[in-house]
Amino acid sequence: MLSIRDLRVEFAMRRGVLTAIDGVSFDIGRGEVLGVVGESGAGKSVTGAAIIGLVDPPGRVADGEIRLGGERIDGLSEDEMRAVRGRRIGMIFQDPLTSLNPLFSVGDQLVETMRSHLDLTAGEARRRALALLVEVGIPAAEERIGAYPHEFSGGMRQRVVIALALCAEPELVIADEPTTALDVSVQAQILALIKRLCRDRGTAVMLVTHDMGVVANTADRVAVMYAGRLAEIGPVSDLIDQPLHPYAVGLMGAIPSLDQDARRLVQIPGTMPRLSAIPGGCAFHPRCPQAFERCAARRPPLVAKDGRTVACHLYDGSAEAAR
Ligand code: SF4
């Protein structure tokens, strides 16, 4: 459904060009949830912004291809991209109030969004809006369809945003930290709702999060990003049970487990480099406990290993050659 190839996003600054996303490629299939994880500054949200054509200036997509349903959507005009957002790509952000207009009832917002993208009468749109509110779990939806966003709790507002993201039957939903602002008790319900509704509709989901627990419970596959590059991508169970890339090993070690003997909390030493100071070779080498000579000199290519794709010299034959 979504296919990204060699995506490169650059920011032209006074002191030179900074590369925020550097050669990222991945696919998301129908009804599949791809978790995109990494620390703050890894490039997760910029990748999402590039897909929806909303990279803030002076940033721009400098290279690569973004295809939705086989059709290229990078390089569309602002008007064409506006039609893609909302209709073909639904968005769920951390703060529901960024997606909702405080001046209109939730019902009116759903009806308006549907009618701007789909050929529906006002009555049909209203019936669909009500059905969607019921489906996302708004209690007494028939009475609450006329309520305003501030009249809902945070969790209920995020349910309304999910209805809004899905109301035009998009092919892709980008959910960027959709539960970070919510109480822990409602996080799991919201994630389960996104997963169920998108799977039922065959909608692809890109789930951007810094929280490995969220990915472990929700995603089918996971892409680990570091310094604007892909470190490892593969099925979520493989990556959690047996991560290959040393950065992924550190991230997975940070998932708390009931089985504390098997999985202690691990801290990755150091911090993510600033865009202006991304190290040469493997960007992770100053923090990597397994770094060897080649790591500082050459950027590792993405190679296939055990059903995943990983960018690390430990798996491209360099480590054996160095012994
Ligand atoms: Fe560590 Fe080298 Fe692999 Fe980078 S390429 S993750 S520095 S072992």
Side-chain angles (χ1 to χ4, degrees), residues 245-247 282 284-285 288 290-292 295 300 311-314:
H245 193 285
Y247 178 61
C282 171
F284 188 56
H285 82 261
C288 181
Q290 301 199 59
F292 55 104
C295 301
C312 172
H313 288 311
L314 292 173

Side-chain angles (χ1 to χ4, degrees), residues 201-249:
R201 288 164 167 74
T203 310
V205 180
M206 177 174 160
L207 174 66
V208 174
T209 179
H210 68 282
D211 186 334
M212 280 312 308
V214 164
V215 163
N217 290 323
T218 316
D220 300 302
R221 284 188 307 131
V222 57
V224 177
M225 289 188 71
Y226 187 82
R229 304 166 184 188
L230 266 186
E232 182 170 350
I233 182 165
V236 73
S237 51
D238 292 356
L239 244 139
I240 285 175
D241 290 345
Q242 226 173 14
L244 296 173
H245 193 285
Y247 178 61
V249 172

